Amino acid sequence: MPARMPLLVLALAQLVIALDFNIVYVALPDMGTGLGFSGHDLQWVVSAYVVTTGGFLLLGGRTTDLLGRRRTFAAAALLYAGASLLGGFAEAPAVLVAVRAVQGIGGALLFPATLSLINTIYAEGPERNRALAVWGAAGAGGLCFGSLLGGVLVEAFGWPSVFFVNVPVAAAIAWAGWVLFPPDAPRTGVRGFDLTGALTGTGGIALLVFLLVHAPEAGWSGVSVVVSAVLSLTLLALFALVETRSRHPLVPTRLFGHRGLVRAMAVTAVYSATFGSLPYFLTLYFRSVRGYSAFATGFAFLVPAVVVAAGTQAGERAVALVGVRRMLVGGMVLGAAGAAALGLALTRHGPYPLLLPGIVLLSLGQGAAWTGMWITAAAGVAPGDQGVASGLASTSLQVGGAVGLAVLVALAGAVGPQAADGTALTGIRAAVFAIAAGIACGVPLTLTVRATTTGP
């Protein structure tokens, strides 16, 4: 059994990251009213976090390798706590958006540090798989549980509480991590850092994510979208050129020859574009179509949160029995079937239990696939590269999610534009069916994953 106390801290860190991704969704209407956001600008409470997280993950992963896992973990958690405290006291839209951007940077440092610590504290094989399953339960479950907690907090204490709740937890995990995690190796000599690569890579990815988030609202032919696309492509091209010539590249080129990691990056992108987009449309369905309150919307996510957590544990056990490839295929098949069933069950007046068969199948598949893809991403990667490997996989997760959500929002808007009463059931159903199709299309990709069990 993996060492329990360090794993508890790592799981809590992942819970904070995952919760904060979705916890603000149900609070957005109250934030908009309380701070005077315009309808167009309110989306940046979510988008600022997504853009900075996606843009800084590679830098965060390499920082973890160079400065030390424990140091990066503690510093990132404290940054998260400080930004959350400021967010709760924000009195202007611009301040809140800036706070969310800083939270995103904290998440971009904390996520690869957390994953790298798991992949170095726990030996590859059954021990690491169990640790990843516990960590995955906290993360995958947190993506759904965030809506539940957000609804409860907003109803009871108002929208600032979704920020204040992070402060004691993030501060506590910073202290606990410093006490419990293995000390970082002494920093001897000058360790090379590719500043040019960091600037071009971070800028290029951040602009790419900005483009994908901003384009559905501004239009794909808008000036800001076109300029962002040109700048992003230019910076990413420069990044690729710099990395091939740098003595200390931000991303060692040898990692792109690691087939397991490259395949895991592709799987994480598909996963995030499909599974990861569903909470957005379910929240829209519960609040806009069914007229649920913030609390009721959060409560509706309780079942998926519990089942996703159960799926991560089932996935870890399945890896030992049938291997990671078969487990991933099974998880994707379950997810596709569940999303299709859910799409059929979405109606304007049907009871919530009608949604449960689809939600249960989808959530089981989501949890199992989450565990499997991180096992695949870490397998065979040297300890000194675990940070940047985690950064690569998690960047794929963020960019895949941004691409998926942008495409699905555009599809939902085209198929079912907002009606006079504010509902958009046809568009939501189309997006959910598209998610089912996307997951199904990801099955052939999972068949390329290494077939070993990484077990006994």
Side-chain angles (χ1 to χ4, degrees), residues 25-385:
Y25 276 130
V26 295
L28 285 176
D30 299 85
M31 292 177 187
T33 302
L35 296 181
F37 274 96
S38 68
H40 179 269
D41 291 338
L42 186 59
Q43 66 164 324
W44 285 104
V45 176
V46 175
S47 300
Y49 183 86
V50 173
V51 169
T52 54
T53 301
F56 281 81
L57 274 166
L58 273 183
L59 182 59
R62 198 55 178 161
T63 299
T64 297
D65 289 332
L66 294 177
L67 300 185
R69 301 175 186 92
R70 187 176 72 160
R71 295 186 190 101
T72 303
F73 180 94
L78 289 175
L79 179 62
Y80 221 97
S84 298
L85 183 63
L86 292 175
F89 287 114
E91 296 183 352
V95 173
L96 189 61
V97 170
V99 162
R100 289 290 285 168
V102 175
Q103 279 187 319
I105 295 172
L109 293 168
L110 190 60
F111 188 95
T114 301
L115 191 53
S116 179
L117 281 161
I118 288 178
N119 293 333
T120 51
I121 291 175
Y122 304 105
E124 184 172 345
E127 185 182 28
R128 183 187 293 174
N129 293 353
R130 293 188 192 105
L132 283 169
V134 173
W135 172 83
L143 289 174
C144 292
F145 190 66
S147 297
L148 171 60
L149 181 61
V152 172
L153 290 173
V154 170
E155 288 284 334
F157 305 107
W159 70 261
S161 60
V162 301
F163 292 97
F164 289 139
V165 71
N166 288 327
V167 177
V169 179
I173 63 175
W175 173 83
W178 190 261
V179 171
L180 294 172
F181 296 155
D184 296 314
R187 297 174 61 190
T188 56
V190 178
R191 306 183 72 177
F193 186 80
D194 181 13
L195 179 60
T196 305
L199 293 174
T200 54
T202 299
I205 295 170
L207 280 169
L208 175 61
V209 178
F210 169 82
L211 161 70
L212 295 168
V213 169
H214 181 57
E217 181 71 29
W220 290 94
S221 60
V223 174
S224 59
V225 172
V226 173
V227 171
S228 297
V230 171
L231 288 176
S232 176
L233 290 173
T234 302
L235 288 173
L236 289 174
L238 286 173
F239 172 69
L241 179 63
V242 168
E243 293 299 279
T244 59
R245 301 184 177 187
S246 174
R247 293 181 57 191
H248 305 284
L250 185 70
V251 181
T253 54
R254 62 181 177 275
L255 289 179
F256 292 107
H258 192 293
R259 293 184 179 180
L261 175 60
V262 172
R263 289 166 181 167
M265 289 168 60
V267 172
T268 57
V270 172
Y271 177 99
S272 187
T274 54
F275 288 108
S277 297
L278 192 67
Y280 173 86
F281 292 100
L282 277 182
T283 301
L284 186 63
Y285 171 73
F286 290 134
R287 297 217 68 179
S288 297
V289 177
R290 303 302 302 274
Y292 286 10
S293 67
F295 175 79
T297 298
F299 193 74
F301 280 91
L302 179 59
V303 171
V306 172
V307 178
V308 165
T312 61
Q313 304 305 303
E316 181 265 322
R317 290 172 174 80
V319 168
L321 293 174
V322 301
V324 70
R325 182 172 68 186
R326 290 179 180 175
M327 189 277 291
L328 274 172
V329 170
M332 299 292 272
V333 170
L334 277 177
L342 180 61
L344 291 172
L346 294 175
T347 61
R348 197 173 305 281
H349 303 294
Y352 179 78
L354 185 65
L355 308 178
L356 289 180
I359 284 176
V360 169
L361 286 176
L362 179 71
S363 301
L364 279 173
Q366 179 179 356
W370 177 269
T371 298
M373 70 188 188
W374 295 116
I375 291 173
T376 304
V381 177
D385 289 331

